[in-house]
Amino acid sequence: MLDASLKEQVRSIFSGLKADYMFDMEVAPQHESRGELVELLGEVASCSDRIACRERPGEGLRFSLLRNGEPTGISFRAVPTGHEFSSLLLAVLNADGQGKNFPDRSVCDRVRALNGPIRLTTYVSLTCTNCPDVVQALNAMATLNPGVEHETVDGAIHQAEVAALNVQGVPSVFADGELLHVGRGDFGELLAKLEARYGIDAAGIEAVERRFDVVVLGGGPAGVSAAIYSARKGLSVALVAERIGGQVNETVGIENLISVPETTGRELVGRLAEHLGRYPVEVFEHRRASKVEVADGLKSVATATGERFVAPALIVATGARWRRLNVPGEREYTGRGVAFCPHCDGPFYKDRPVAVVGGGNSGVEAAIDLAGICSHVTVLEFMDSLKADVVLQDKLRSLPNVVVFTSVQTTSVEGDGSKVTAVRLKDRASGEERTIPLDGVFVQIGLSANSDLFDDLLERNRAGEIVIDDYCRTGIPGVYAAGDVSTVPYKQIVVAMGEGAKAALSAFDDRVRGVIG
């Protein structure tokens, strides 16, 4: 199952293990995936004298990770191959204190402060590129907090269970039997949801104030660029972000970043992080800012857990998020028929009818992808014509199982209480309404600026974008905005990088001229 090259890599990864580990399997002898699981875990265990396997008869297919004979809180009801193979390896490394995906101490303290017990179950697809991020984050939390248990379940193996829970999107995270999260998610987002649901022991969290020359809020291309340019000027820099890469994490293919003919979102995020790491920038990931204040020339960014970042210069690069329809039924059926990622959730709609709302590049690309999976795809566009590139439109119209409606307004998503059954439309010209029966709705209507935090502080336009001048300056001296959150036209990666650099240079120029301290 593992070739010689991969086994050698695993041996290297596990060469420094300090404790003894066991894959404790409980498997029904007749289970169709038993042989595959036993072979996989046996080959992984053969790569280290510190790892062993034990098989006991059970009713299904499950294994737990034990450390020195004691439970780690991590288990799998899956054969973790594909994208989840890295989750298996990281689970061992995390339990050994060597995992590279642990956040900084402040975030780890937040995890340890969670009130338990918490029992989490994540349903995944082994082909999903977003699932490992969620699985690995929750496994790390189980390692940090003994009151947290996390089990990863392969939906393809446990189809009846998935159907009973009406899981129609992955990853789907259940907390003590109730749905907590669906879809892509990062460590900070998941932790915030657990904090809201279970509460924390605040005594375990230390309130800290940190001072810098520049605080960059946001970790996408604009934020990383601003941080690097500021650090190159010899300034002390903090980058505060929910996750490095921002929306780039959700981009599959990138072919218009000049000098890089072709890459993926994940590869680019890795390069951004690598480049950032070459400079003395203090990175505070998995933070969501809760308040921004300006007083006596200083800008203060507070997080929900009591941290405060203070500097004379603040560069806002918080980017944008997927826009929602904001119609009846959308929120109620998110994860149960309403989806935002065709690459992850499309396979759940194999041979079933779906709709894509949005006729821009992202919407038409989604429709083209889904047409190869679903029985029928309906594209719904609010404007009089599609906005996607002509080459994409030509490809879309060549597909026999796609129909396009323009000048229509999506007025509601309908369902039977457990899943989506139809979408309701209104013709904008005639006013005629109609209902289209279907099983899924993929929303692809663009992005909305992440600027709500600055509603009473900075000038914003009708779209919510922060108003800036040609130098990325806002109406407040020492506060700058760059990238998708700003009024700069053309929301492109290459544009965001340039704007981040421009904001940093403007902040340095203002510092030299005495505009800011």
Side-chain angles (χ1 to χ4, degrees):
M1 180 172 285
L2 304 182
D3 60 33
S5 175
L6 184 54
K7 281 186 176 181
E8 191 58 38
Q9 292 180 49
V10 175
R11 288 191 188 96
S12 176
I13 290 171
F14 287 157
S15 62
L17 291 180
K18 303 178 182 65
D20 293 321
Y21 295 91
M22 177 176 289
F23 298 132
D24 188 16
M25 294 177 279
E26 297 179 67
V27 189
Q30 71 278 9
H31 198 287
E32 61 182 3
S33 298
R34 175 192 169 277
E36 186 181 8
L37 178 66
V38 171
E39 180 183 2
L40 172 67
L41 297 185
E43 292 193 10
V44 172
S46 72
C47 295
S48 172
D49 292 337
R50 290 284 196 176
I51 304 176
C53 292
R54 177 172 67 188
E55 182 184 0
R56 294 177 289 163
E59 295 183 356
L61 178 138
R62 182 181 188 272
F63 72 94
S64 301
L65 177 65
L66 306 183
R67 179 180 185 274
N68 292 333
E70 298 295 326
T72 61
I74 298 171
S75 61
F76 292 80
R77 282 195 284 138
V79 181
T81 55
H83 292 297
E84 294 302 341
F85 184 65
S86 59
S87 299
L88 173 64
L89 303 185
L90 263 176
V92 177
L93 292 176
N94 283 345
D96 209 57
Q98 302 184 53
K100 301 299 184 182
N101 65 325
F102 281 124
D104 60 80
R105 192 182 76 174
S106 293
V107 177
C108 288
D109 286 344
R110 288 170 56 191
V111 176
R112 296 186 182 102
L114 284 169
N115 294 324
I118 301 172
R119 293 175 176 81
L120 304 172
T121 305
T122 302
Y123 293 87
V124 303
S125 166
L126 299 184
T127 62
C128 170
T129 57
N130 287 323
C131 289
D133 292 339
V134 171
V135 169
Q136 291 164 20
L138 297 179
N139 280 346
M141 292 184 199
T143 301
L144 292 166
N145 187 327
V148 177
E149 296 179 6
H150 178 234
E151 185 168 62
T152 302
V153 181
D154 181 1
I157 293 179
H158 301 86
Q159 294 183 24
E161 187 173 331
V162 165
L165 292 169
N166 292 311
V167 173
Q168 297 189 44
V170 289
S172 285
V173 181
F174 287 78
D176 289 303
E178 294 187 13
L179 186 63
L180 177 78
H181 175 87
V182 179
R184 64 177 71 91
D186 57 60
F187 198 107
E189 180 183 4
L190 294 163
L191 178 55
K193 289 185 176 182
L194 290 172
E195 289 172 333
R197 179 178 175 84
Y198 292 97
I200 59 173
D201 178 5
I205 300 177
E206 179 183 2
V208 178
E209 179 177 290
R210 299 182 172 92
R211 290 184 173 252
F212 298 88
D213 294 324
V214 180
V215 170
V216 178
L217 191 56
V224 171
S225 177
I228 290 174
Y229 265 74
S230 296
R232 286 176 61 85
K233 293 297 185 181
L235 303 177
S236 62
V237 183
L239 187 149
V240 183
E242 294 186 34
R243 57 177 174 170
I244 298 301
Q247 285 288 331
V248 175
N249 286 281
E250 297 152 18
T251 304
V252 178
I254 300 170
E255 299 178 352
N256 58 356
L257 182 58
I258 308 307
S259 84
V260 183
E262 184 176 354
T263 187
T264 67
R266 287 181 177 271
E267 289 173 348
L268 180 56
V269 169
R271 290 172 184 169
L272 290 173
E274 179 186 1
H275 198 175
L276 190 63
R278 297 191 179 188
Y279 293 90
V281 175
E282 292 196 47
V283 178
F284 299 90
E285 201 174 3
H286 311 304
R287 266 76 168 183
R288 179 170 295 179
S290 59
K291 189 175 185 179
V292 175
E293 296 178 306
V294 177
D296 300 324
L298 293 176
K299 291 77 187 177
S300 173
V301 177
T303 66
T305 52
E307 287 178 291
R308 188 176 296 273
F309 301 88
V310 180
L314 170 64
I315 299 175
V316 182
T318 46
R321 62 188 179 277
W322 289 112
R323 292 178 59 195
R324 294 180 177 264
L325 295 169
N326 293 320
V327 300
E330 180 186 32
R331 180 175 297 277
E332 293 87 338
Y333 289 105
T334 294
R336 296 186 293 163
V338 174
F340 298 86
C341 180
H343 305 289
C344 298
D345 299 336
F348 283 92
Y349 299 89
K350 180 177 175 60
D351 299 327
R352 298 160 66 186
V354 301
V356 174
V357 183
N361 282 348
S362 61
V364 171
E365 288 174 350
I368 292 171
D369 289 343
L370 291 168
I373 301 171
C374 305
S375 62
H376 191 270
V377 180
T378 302
V379 178
L380 307 173
E381 168 55 42
F382 184 82
M383 302 302 289
D384 296 338
S385 61
L386 299 180
K387 305 183 292 296
D389 294 342
V390 173
V391 63
L392 293 174
Q393 293 191 44
D394 290 344
K395 173 63 176 176
L396 182 74
R397 297 186 191 281
S398 72
L399 300 173
N401 61 335
V402 176
V403 63
V404 177
F405 292 101
T406 57
S407 194
V408 293
Q409 179 181 357
T410 304
T411 57
S412 68
V413 176
E414 300 180 358
D416 62 5
S418 62
K419 62 183 185 299
V420 166
T421 57
V423 65
R424 185 79 174 165
L425 311 175
K426 180 179 180 180
D427 188 290
R428 295 178 55 235
S430 67
E432 179 184 355
E433 295 190 15
R434 63 182 298 183
T435 298
I436 299 179
L438 42 70
D439 291 339
V441 179
F442 288 81
V443 181
Q444 301 282 296
I445 56 174
L447 302 171
S448 177
N450 292 320
S451 64
D452 294 348
L453 195 62
F454 304 93
D455 188 21
D456 298 324
L457 188 65
L458 300 175
E459 180 185 359
R460 302 188 300 166
N461 64 12
R462 291 183 62 184
E465 299 165 334
I466 296 173
V467 177
I468 58 172
D469 65 11
D470 292 342
Y471 297 86
C472 295
R473 296 185 176 101
T474 69
I476 297 178
V479 180
Y480 313 84
D484 288 3
V485 74
S486 76
T487 51
V488 65
Y490 310 119
K491 311 304 186 185
Q492 297 289 308
I493 293 171
V494 68
V495 173
M497 288 178 171
E499 290 294 295
K502 188 197 298 183
L505 294 173
S506 295
F508 181 74
D509 186 51
D510 286 348
R511 181 185 179 90
V512 170
R513 294 187 299 109
V515 176
I516 59 176

